[in-house]
Amino acid sequence: MNFIESVTLGAADPAAAERFLADAFGLDARIGVRACAEPTDGFRGFTLALTVGRPATVDSFLGSAVEAGATVLKPASRSMWGYGGVVRAPDGTIWKVATSAKKDTGPAERRIDELVLLLGVADVAASKRFYVGQGLTVSRSFGRVYAEFEAGDGPVKPALYRRRALAKDLGVAPEGTGARHIFLGCAGGPFTDPDGFAWESAAPVRTA
């Protein structure tokens, strides 16, 4: 089985981006950062999503993200799926923090249950077939709407969502051009998927 072995964000100021990861979410040991000055404009086509246990934890992580310099794209609110909100980090990466719970059963816990990389794609079914061909294993799939893969021993679970639907969920326009500023590593790399996401040959998995 293939899986994401590393996720590295590109940033004009890598040191500042690393500080944000540490101060906002405590993810500096799971997500890497490298210098990247390539121009980018608009939606980069992906988001990193933190799944947590309760609404108070959502508020805690979103609060620390804002304190670390993030901009709120969608304030935390309840929906038919649970409770969550969206922020944009100073380096431009969009982060979503959510829980399926609608009510608190205790105080906030600074614990992330799952970290998911959502890739916005033009055709979920076609991209799913492509990734299965690259050795990823599907764990959940909802037709042409959404597909999720096994995380394996990697730090992040990959998933596919229609690009326009993902942008709408995040509260941004779907248009975007230029560099994505994300680098995905796996043992089966390098390759580029149908939507232009480039995967590299990965270094060994880092354990937090």
Side-chain angles (χ1 to χ4, degrees), residues 78-106:
R78 288 182 175 82
S79 69
M80 63 182 297
W81 307 110
Y83 182 82
V86 182
V87 296
R88 192 195 306 271
D91 65 84
T93 303
I94 296 176
W95 293 84
K96 181 175 183 178
V97 187
T99 177
S100 58
K102 296 183 180 181
K103 294 183 179 181
D104 283 316
T105 56

Side-chain angles (χ1 to χ4, degrees), residues 95-188:
W95 293 84
K96 181 175 183 178
V97 187
T99 177
S100 58
K102 296 183 180 181
K103 294 183 179 181
D104 283 316
T105 56
E109 299 176 306
R110 297 287 292 184
R111 186 183 71 203
I112 298 169
D113 294 335
E114 193 170 62
L115 179 57
V116 180
L117 170 64
L118 279 162
L119 301 179
V121 301
D123 186 330
V124 170
S127 291
K128 181 176 70 173
R129 288 194 298 271
F130 174 84
Y131 278 113
V132 169
Q134 295 296 328
L136 274 71
T137 301
V138 177
S139 58
R140 289 197 299 170
S141 181
F142 300 95
R144 294 184 174 274
V145 178
Y146 178 84
E148 189 175 281
F149 301 94
E150 296 287 350
D153 294 326
V156 179
K157 174 182 288 188
L160 309 172
Y161 200 15
R162 288 179 297 184
R163 181 186 173 96
R164 287 190 171 273
L166 179 59
K168 181 178 180 180
D169 181 59
L170 299 174
V172 298
E175 294 78 20
T177 59
R180 298 187 186 276
H181 288 200
I182 188 169
F183 307 92
L184 308 174
C186 70

